């Protein structure tokens, strides 16, 4: 199978593709990954895990076109667009959407343009989504197909509490052991709601709540300027950029916050829960279903509600947070383990190959 994706930069969709490609081998499905753009921190990781990755760019697309692929899966909108070219080769085509397009005005011009084109392309054999809300959202855009919900799969053996990694992360971030630690892990993007989180943390400072917020992810270093405009105490913020191993961040956190304004299914929340972290997140996509009663879910774009939820979590006793974290891990292990979701993905891919 050929899997086409925009890039292999660190992100939830990209991580799920690499992990899935690795595990699909156990189901007899060999995956070759074609990134459309050069670079990406995950390329080397994919190769180390035995995933076949082609070079990026037009030459590789033409090279892939010259080969025979029984099945092509286009990940996200750019990947779906390019994957559709393989209908002409007789390949079965599947799309994989990892986003819920609620407000097109908030999307990039490229995304809006592709979303206008997709309804006019040959229908794929199936569209995989990681959020049930994505089905109606895309149907409203005229994208009609056989939608199949497959939740994100979490490698619960890798994502588990690690005391040593937690201590190392606090040292890296210069956060004392007894300081309240709020962690946010995501690339810098307006959809990720980092501005709302900064506003919420400023409200907590005004209330006298002492806590340090640490931002981890591509481009988060640039958030320092945004923090300054809110009037936040700079001593209460850390901006670490990309970190190769987020287990330490999740294990060290008193609370992991995901303030997204729109989301499919937040991989980072499930990974944090798998590390026994208590999570506060916004009610977007499948977030509420992932968290259940193990954390707190608030409306998106509401800094006051977000601040209240973070403050409540920080005010809990360490024992209460540990119990919440243990329940969070159990929920991920029982419902979102990688082996379970990969099995569903494999079954759907086989069905797509048979449906001619």
């Amino acid at each position: 199978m050929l899997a086409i994706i925009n890039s292999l930069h660190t992100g939830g969709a990209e991580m799920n593709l690499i992990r899935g490609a690795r595990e699909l081998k156990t189901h007899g499905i060999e995956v070759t990954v074609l990134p459309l753009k050069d670079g990406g921190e995950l390329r080397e990781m994919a190769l180390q895990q035995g995933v076949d990755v082609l070079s990026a760019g037009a030459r590789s697309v033409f090279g892939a076109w010259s080969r025979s692929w029984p099945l092509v899966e286009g990940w996200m909108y750019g990947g779906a667009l390019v994957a559709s070219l393989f209908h002409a080769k007789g390949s079965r085509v599947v799309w994989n959407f990892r986003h819920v397009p609620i407000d097109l005005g908030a999307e990039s011009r490229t995304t809006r343009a592709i979303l206008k084109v997709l309804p006019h392309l040959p229908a794929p054999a199936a569209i995989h989504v990681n959020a049930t809300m994505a089905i109606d959202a895309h149907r409203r855009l005229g994208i009609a197909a056989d939608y199949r919900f497959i939740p994100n799969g979490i490698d619960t053996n890798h994502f588990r509490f690690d005391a040593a990694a937690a201590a190392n992360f606090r040292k890296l971030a210069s956060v004392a052991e007894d300081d309240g630690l709020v962690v946010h892990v995501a690339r810098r993007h307006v959809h990720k709601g980092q501005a709302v989180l900064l506003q919420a943390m400023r409200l907590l400072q005004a209330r006298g709540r002492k806590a340090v917020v640490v931002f981890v992810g591509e481009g988060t270093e640039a958030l320092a300027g945004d923090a300054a405009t809110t009037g936040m105490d700079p001593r209460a913020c850390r901006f670490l950029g990309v970190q190769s191993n987020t287990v330490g961040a999740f294990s060290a956190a008193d609370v992991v916050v995901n303030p997204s304004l729109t989301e499919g299914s937040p991989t980072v929340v499930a990974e944090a829960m798998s590390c026994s972290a208590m999570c506060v997140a916004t009610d977007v996509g499948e977030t509420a279903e992932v968290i259940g009663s193990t954390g707190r879910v608030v409306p998106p774009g509401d800094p006051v509600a977000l601040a209240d939820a973070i403050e409540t979590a920080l005010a809990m006793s360490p024992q209460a947070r540990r119990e919440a974290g243990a329940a969070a891990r159990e929920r991920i292990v029982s419902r979102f383990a990688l082996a379970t979701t990969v099995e569903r993905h494999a079954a759907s891919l086989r069905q797509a190959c048979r449906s001619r």
Side-chain angles (χ1 to χ4, degrees):
M1 181 183 83
L2 179 66
I4 305 174
I5 193 165
N6 192 47
S7 76
L8 289 178
H9 287 285
T10 302
E14 294 81 0
M15 289 294 295
N16 274 278
L17 169 56
I18 298 305
R19 291 175 191 148
R22 181 191 69 202
E23 297 300 319
L24 281 170
K25 290 184 179 181
T26 65
H27 294 269
I29 300 175
E30 294 286 339
V31 180
T32 295
V33 177
L34 172 60
L36 299 176
K37 293 182 180 179
D38 285 321
E41 303 81 7
L42 299 181
R43 181 184 181 84
E44 187 60 32
M45 185 191 82
L47 294 172
Q48 290 175 354
Q49 295 185 8
V51 178
D52 183 25
V53 181
L54 301 177
S55 298
R59 181 175 296 180
S60 289
V61 173
F62 289 131
W65 174 261
S66 69
R67 297 168 59 180
S68 177
W69 304 97
L71 184 64
V72 179
E73 184 171 31
W75 282 63
M76 300 188 291
Y77 304 133
L81 181 66
V82 176
S84 294
L85 298 175
F86 286 80
H87 280 290
K89 294 282 289 186
S91 301
R92 300 298 288 165
V93 174
V94 173
W95 295 346
N96 196 315
F97 294 160
R98 323 293 291 185
H99 181 55
V100 182
I102 296 175
D103 178 10
L104 292 185
E107 306 293 347
S108 69
R109 284 186 296 178
T110 300
T111 295
R112 292 197 300 269
I114 295 175
L115 285 171
K116 288 181 180 180
V117 171
L118 291 181
H120 304 289
L121 297 178
I127 297 179
H128 296 148
V129 294
N130 65 345
T132 54
M133 289 178 62
I135 299 174
D136 285 341
H138 288 99
R139 281 178 173 160
R140 285 195 294 270
L141 297 176
I143 303 174
D146 178 10
Y147 284 87
R148 301 175 190 173
F149 169 60
I150 302 176
N152 292 337
I154 304 303
D155 185 346
T156 55
N157 291 322
H158 174 72
F159 288 98
R160 60 190 313 144
F161 178 78
D162 186 326
N168 288 337
F169 182 81
R170 280 187 176 258
K171 183 177 180 180
L172 172 69
S174 300
V175 179
E177 184 62 34
D178 56 350
D179 283 346
L181 176 55
V182 177
V183 169
H184 169 71
V185 177
R187 64 189 173 94
R188 186 192 184 206
H189 195 284
V190 64
H191 287 167
K192 298 301 180 181
Q194 284 114 347
V196 180
L197 176 54
L198 286 170
Q199 293 173 44
M201 295 304 298
R202 180 67 184 90
L203 289 172
L204 291 183
Q205 284 186 352
R207 298 174 187 176
R209 169 65 63 178
K210 292 184 178 180
V212 176
V213 59
V214 179
F215 291 83
V216 174
E218 181 183 359
T220 52
E221 303 95 330
L223 291 170
D226 298 337
T229 62
T230 68
M232 283 193 66
D233 183 344
R235 295 171 296 179
C237 304
R238 309 285 190 275
F239 307 96
L240 300 187
V242 175
Q243 299 296 311
S244 59
N245 187 356
T246 54
V247 170
F250 297 142
S251 298
D254 291 305
V255 57
V256 173
V257 180
N258 193 63
S260 292
L261 304 180
T262 181
E263 190 87 65
S265 183
T267 301
V268 69
V269 169
E271 290 173 348
M273 291 169 64
S274 187
C275 291
S276 302
M278 183 174 181
C279 292
V280 169
T282 46
D283 190 7
V284 291
E286 293 295 303
T287 302
E289 173 60 25
V290 172
I291 290 180
S293 61
T294 70
R296 295 186 177 274
V297 177
V298 300
D302 187 338
V304 175
L306 188 62
D308 291 344
I310 295 171
E311 185 170 31
T312 298
L314 291 173
M316 294 170 63
S317 69
Q319 177 62 28
R321 276 199 301 271
R322 282 194 293 270
E323 291 174 356
R329 175 168 172 81
E330 174 57 31
R331 185 173 181 83
I332 297 303
V333 170
S334 63
R335 298 187 180 212
F336 302 100
L338 183 60
T340 301
T341 59
V342 168
E343 184 175 352
R344 291 176 63 173
H345 192 188
S348 181
L349 293 173
R350 291 197 189 96
Q351 183 179 351
C353 284
R354 291 193 300 265
S355 59
R356 288 189 178 274

